[in-house]
Amino acid sequence: MQKEIAFIEELKNPETQEASFRELMRLYKERLYWHIRKIVISHDDADDVLQNTFVKVFRNIDKFNGDSKLFSWMYRIATNEAISHLNNKANLNKVNVETIQYQMIDKLEADVYFDGDEIQLKLQKALASLPRKQQLVFNMKYFDNLKYSEISEILDTSVGALKASYHLARKKIEAFLKE
Amino acid sequence: MKDKDKNILDNLKISKSGFEMPENYLEHFENKFFANSNKLKNGFTCPENYFQTFEDKYFNNQTNLKHKDSGFKVPKNYFNDLEEKIYTKIKSPKVFFLFSKKHIKTIGFSIAASLLLFMSLYNLNSNKDQLNIANIEVAEIENWMDEDLISFNTYEISDIFNDKDLDLVSNDNDEILDYLDDTDIEYLIFEN
């Protein structure tokens, strides 16, 4: 914890900012990328959102008050950025977000940056059929192995509610995969 | 007496029965049961891996869909130059937009409301023919609003007008006209 506080101070200090921010990107770029990628599906979109996420982190680091862990705060920014990106895309195409997600998953088979098999594709379709919150919880718990306490900080939801969400998500996905 | 009996029964329920089993016996019981053989004791057989459905496979085993096994890939060396790309973006001059989308929507609404007010006032002092023309304009504006080309809510209005008196919009016609003169209406209409 002391280490994190010192690191945050370095991020806020103009003299050490560049080096520490590069370190921050080195540490978290891959984790955040995969988190974002699973929400926005395409690599190009994930790239845009990841860059915007780090830009926001950089520009708002002075406002970070340490109420949550730095990692949780960044995850929250990445989640919000990814969801906003999807919403904007849906607005631009004059469809709802669910439709956009299905359209993107339909394109996955032809995506050069996706080499999943039939089941992996089906899992993505199953995920898209879930409510947004359940999708997020499932991704963070199942794929990212985050603790409920960490997800709770990121999504600002109680651990009990998260457990219920994850349980429901799993049930629905299992049922979808059995179809 | 009854309580005493109940306690005894409760204690019996949770106390050890005295029977024991080999250590770790129950762990991986199912796996042990089906391991290396799909033959059941009654002689019937089932297809290999029948009991390992794919959801078991993906939810319970080590081979589940973790990041890199989820099928998603990234371009070669994508992460190598990412930091430089982001840092360049951060260091580039920040562009400030005079109007954010939210503000443009709110301003659009205030302009539409102002136009309605202006036309209403104008119609009071005009003849019937001019009133018909004005009605068409109002209908167009209403249609504009009905089609959600201007969307707003109370929070957005209060957000943009937090330093202004909202009554100004409906009371001071000169101020509205001044405001409209200073605003690129075509741009706002295009944006909304």
Side-chain angles (χ1 to χ4, degrees):
Chain A
M1 192 62 194
Q2 286 302 319
K3 219 172 171 182
E4 178 159 310
I5 292 169
F7 186 56
I8 292 163
E9 285 309 312
E10 284 175 11
L11 283 167
K12 291 180 178 179
N13 182 348
E15 283 179 15
T16 52
Q17 196 171 45
E18 178 168 346
S20 50
F21 194 71
R22 283 183 191 279
E23 176 67 4
L24 184 80
M25 286 194 282
R26 192 186 65 74
L27 288 171
Y28 292 111
K29 62 186 177 184
E30 284 201 45
R31 290 180 78 175
L32 289 180
Y33 173 84
W34 290 113
H35 173 64
I36 293 165
R37 179 75 188 271
K38 288 190 293 286
I39 300 172
V40 300
I41 308 295
S42 94
H43 165 72
D44 288 339
D45 288 352
D47 183 37
D48 282 346
V49 174
L50 181 65
Q51 290 187 43
N52 289 342
T53 299
F54 276 117
V55 170
K56 277 213 165 162
V57 167
F58 184 84
R59 290 190 174 145
N60 292 289
I61 191 71
D62 286 334
K63 294 175 196 163
F64 178 66
N65 54 17
D67 282 348
S68 60
K69 283 182 190 163
L70 182 62
F71 159 74
S72 307
W73 182 63
M74 288 168 59
Y75 238 82
R76 191 156 61 231
I77 293 174
T79 307
N80 290 340
E81 284 293 306
I83 290 170
S84 297
H85 182 86
L86 272 188
N87 290 340
N88 290 341
K89 204 168 178 173
N91 285 339
L92 210 64
N93 289 280
K94 298 191 187 310
V95 293
N96 59 31
V97 179
E98 290 75 25
T99 308
I100 272 288
Q101 277 188 300
Y102 283 121
Q103 285 174 356
M104 282 154 57
I105 287 162
D106 284 342
K107 288 179 193 165
L108 263 185
E109 277 173 287
D111 191 332
V112 290
Y113 296 123
F114 183 79
D115 64 358
D117 56 24
E118 197 183 336
I119 296 169
Q120 288 166 326
L121 200 58
K122 203 170 177 184
L123 178 63
Q124 288 304 319
K125 286 179 182 172
L127 265 166
S129 71
L130 300 179
R132 167 60 45 74
K133 193 74 168 271
Q134 285 177 22
Q135 288 181 33
L136 290 172
V137 175
F138 184 85
N139 279 337
M140 286 192 255
K141 187 72 196 157
Y142 176 68
F143 286 111
D144 301 348
N145 284 327
L146 293 184
K147 293 173 188 163
Y148 281 116
S149 57
E150 291 172 324
I151 304 173
S152 172
E153 259 192 7
I154 295 162
L155 297 181
D156 196 20
T157 307
S158 71
V159 168
L162 290 173
K163 284 180 180 174
S165 278
Y166 183 64
H167 176 76
L168 279 172
R170 276 187 66 133
K171 287 282 165 208
K172 287 180 191 172
I173 290 173
E174 283 171 0
F176 192 100
L177 293 175
K178 281 175 186 170
E179 276 175 11
Chain B
M1 188 64 192
K2 272 185 180 177
D3 281 340
K4 197 180 173 187
D5 288 345
K6 191 182 173 187
N7 288 337
I8 291 165
L9 288 171
D10 289 344
N11 288 336
L12 272 176
K13 209 173 179 180
I14 60 170
S15 68
K16 284 187 179 179
S17 61
F19 293 114
E20 287 184 359
M21 68 174 74
E23 202 175 24
N24 299 328
Y25 173 72
L26 287 176
E27 279 180 33
H28 314 298
F29 177 79
E30 299 91 333
N31 292 345
K32 252 185 299 189
F33 188 73
F34 292 111
N36 303 320
S37 171
N38 52 21
K39 281 187 179 179
L40 300 177
K41 281 183 180 175
N42 57 17
F44 290 114
T45 62
C46 63
E48 199 176 349
N49 297 329
Y50 173 76
F51 294 100
Q52 190 182 30
T53 61
F54 58 69
E55 57 273 18
D56 289 336
K57 182 180 165 190
Y58 285 108
F59 284 120
N60 300 327
N61 288 357
Q62 291 302 312
T63 54
N64 59 5
L65 298 170
K66 297 300 172 189
H67 293 312
K68 285 152 196 165
D69 301 323
S70 63
F72 291 125
K73 294 194 299 183
V74 288
K76 204 175 172 184
N77 299 326
Y78 167 70
F79 288 114
N80 293 353
D81 60 349
L82 184 68
E83 288 148 45
E84 206 50 54
K85 206 160 60 170
I86 294 170
Y87 210 75
T88 307
K89 203 170 176 177
I90 288 167
K91 284 294 167 189
S92 63
K94 194 177 177 183
V95 178
F96 289 97
F97 292 97
L98 287 176
F99 295 104
S100 71
K101 199 174 175 185
K102 188 173 83 173
H103 290 171
I104 287 169
K105 282 180 178 178
T106 312
I107 292 166
F109 162 66
S110 61
I111 288 171
S114 305
L115 284 172
L116 279 169
L117 177 68
F118 174 73
M119 286 166 190
S120 304
L121 292 170
Y122 183 73
N123 289 339
L124 288 174
N125 299 315
S126 306
N127 62 34
K128 204 177 177 183
D129 287 338
Q130 285 170 322
L131 188 68
N132 287 340
I133 292 165
N135 279 343
I136 292 167
E137 294 294 325
V138 172
E140 280 183 3
I141 293 166
E142 283 174 351
N143 191 34
W144 208 34
M145 294 169 79
D146 285 345
E147 288 180 10
D148 204 23
L149 292 169
I150 305 171
S151 62
F152 55 89
N153 61 42
T154 318
Y155 297 104
E156 286 171 332
I157 293 169
S158 63
D159 188 35
I160 185 66
F161 287 110
N162 58 1
D163 58 345
K164 290 183 182 178
D165 184 358
L166 272 176
D167 290 335
L168 183 72
V169 178
S170 56
N171 291 335
D172 192 337
N173 207 32
D174 289 340
E175 179 115 10
I176 291 164
L177 291 172
D178 286 345
Y179 175 72
L180 291 174
D181 284 344
D182 293 335
T183 307
D184 186 349
I185 297 171
E186 280 182 12
Y187 172 72
L188 292 174
I189 290 170
F190 176 75
E191 283 295 311
N192 284 280

